[in-house]
Amino acid sequence: QVQLVESGGGSVQAGGSLRLSCAVSGYATIIVWFHQAPGKKREGVAGIYTNSGLTYYADSVKGRFTISQDNAKKTVYLQMNSLKPEDTAMYYCAADRWFGRTWYEAGKYNYWGQGTQVTVSS
């Protein structure tokens, strides 16, 4: 069993920054941040393989967002810089125990947090 608890969401103006945290209990090989705006499907934003540290990013956030992990704190972070209004969404942390699948597909994950809202105003 893997339990995930997100925190760090909030409201910020365009160009600002936020750091999201995902506290992880249990063993997971991959942890991914997804976002979902109202009326849209849930999309992968950034992922990290916990053993190797290998990271993946959606094209829309490359160069702006950074995913990282603190093994001692059992926490995965998403540093979000240069935020845009289109980044506004609920952000979810997801995890699982597989390797080699398509990281950005929400249906591949069995474990989810409750989500944290990010709102970016123009």
Side-chain angles (χ1 to χ4, degrees):
Q1 187 75 4
V2 180
Q3 293 183 324
L4 308 166
V5 179
E6 303 97 332
S7 61
S11 297
V12 65
Q13 289 191 328
S17 298
L18 284 173
R19 188 178 78 160
L20 306 183
S21 299
C22 175
V24 183
S25 63
Y27 174 68
T29 59
I30 183 165
I31 298 174
V32 174
W33 285 98
F34 285 82
H35 69 190
Q36 186 170 23
K40 295 189 177 182
K41 68 177 184 178
R42 197 167 292 190
E43 299 178 326
V45 174
I48 186 167
Y49 276 105
T50 59
N51 291 336
S52 65
L54 183 63
T55 58
Y56 296 91
Y57 295 93
D59 288 343
S60 61
V61 306
K62 283 180 181 176
R64 300 189 299 122
F65 291 10
T66 302
I67 189 171
S68 62
Q69 60 181 347
D70 184 327
N71 291 330
K73 294 183 179 180
K74 297 182 180 180
T75 300
V76 171
Y77 301 101
L78 185 67
Q79 178 66 44
M80 305 187 296
N81 299 329
S82 302
L83 282 161
K84 304 175 180 180
E86 51 263 44
D87 294 319
T88 295
M90 185 71 79
Y91 282 72
Y92 298 91
C93 186
D96 218 295
R97 296 171 175 171
W98 44 255
F99 295 93
R101 299 183 188 179
T102 310
W103 71 272
Y104 50 81
E105 293 184 358
K108 297 288 195 292
Y109 296 86
N110 286 304
Y111 304 104
W112 292 86
Q114 82 287 352
T116 186
Q117 177 68 37
V118 171
T119 302
V120 184
S121 58
S122 57

